[in-house]
Amino acid sequence: MNTLARLTPAAHAAPSLDTLRDFVEHEADLLDSRRFDDWLDLYSDDAVYWVPAAQDQADWISHVSLYYDEKHTMKTRVARLKHPMIHCQDPPSTTVRVLSNFGLEAADGDRFRVRSKFIMLEDRPGADRRVYGGRYLHTLRLDGAHLKIVQKCVRLTNCDQSFPQLTQPF
């Protein structure tokens, strides 16, 4: 079975862990390929993209976050990343994400919480290499026959440190 077929589970069937893993890996590939519009299409209209700024941060309401984006804000970030005059991405970053240790945290009807670990390298000519690592927690929902991201939480191992400009989604 080809990868794209595995990203769309059969109607009325719960997706396997392999299908969920392939979907999350596909998201990472889109980001590494700078296909930001396609990446954005993976998110539901009610999606939240969240990167806590503290190790034990329980929510995005009681503490400032590195990222807290709803779909509208994500669209704005993507528009900025694609703008030809974005100075902090001139030249553009090259990224690679390596994901592992996938597991199904919970399944409830049409929702699935998938955990994984990641390392992301970001290189830009004339700038220092940046290395990020941590844990992903994706909440995915079946939308008809397709999976959509309802929430992505990125728990960086060094989230409480100082960062230069963060421009690339994790």
Side-chain angles (χ1 to χ4, degrees):
M1 181 183 301
N2 70 34
T3 301
L4 289 179
R6 293 174 76 185
L7 297 178
T8 306
H12 309 295
S16 67
L17 181 57
D18 285 342
T19 299
L20 298 170
R21 183 192 68 235
D22 288 349
F23 182 84
V24 172
E25 288 176 341
H26 177 65
E27 180 206 15
D29 286 340
L30 291 174
L31 287 169
D32 288 342
S33 301
R34 298 185 60 82
R35 294 174 50 196
F36 298 120
D37 288 321
D38 294 334
W39 170 73
L40 192 57
D41 287 343
L42 296 179
Y43 285 78
S44 66
D45 289 338
D46 59 342
V48 170
Y49 174 76
W50 178 43
V51 183
Q55 291 293 336
D56 59 352
Q57 188 172 340
D59 59 52
W60 50 79
I61 296 169
S62 60
H63 194 284
V64 69
S65 299
L66 296 174
Y67 284 90
Y68 171 75
D69 291 352
E70 294 173 334
K71 185 81 178 250
H72 174 74
T73 313
M74 293 172 72
K75 288 178 185 178
T76 302
R77 284 192 192 274
V78 165
R80 272 189 284 206
L81 279 169
K82 292 173 29 182
H83 195 281
M85 302 284 286
I86 184 171
H87 70 281
C88 59
Q89 282 292 290
D90 184 23
S93 295
T94 302
T95 61
V96 64
R97 291 160 179 80
V98 179
L99 286 66
S100 68
N101 297 88
F102 284 86
L104 183 62
E105 288 257 318
D108 183 16
D110 63 350
R111 288 181 182 248
F112 308 90
R113 247 189 8 242
V114 180
R115 72 175 185 283
S116 58
K117 295 179 182 176
F118 77 96
I119 294 175
M120 177 183 141
L121 302 176
E122 180 183 8
D123 288 306
R124 235 179 86 219
D128 291 334
R129 168 176 280 170
R130 297 181 187 181
V131 179
Y132 303 97
R135 291 171 177 78
Y136 287 144
L137 185 60
H138 285 80
T139 302
L140 308 176
R141 178 175 59 214
L142 275 174
D143 184 13
H146 302 281
L147 288 167
K148 290 285 190 177
I149 301 169
V150 177
Q151 185 182 85
K152 179 178 180 181
C153 178
V154 181
R155 293 210 174 258
L156 296 173
T157 58
N158 61 342
C159 63
D160 50 2
Q161 294 181 7
S162 174
F163 292 101
Q165 291 175 325
L166 292 174
T167 57
Q168 296 296 313
F170 299 103

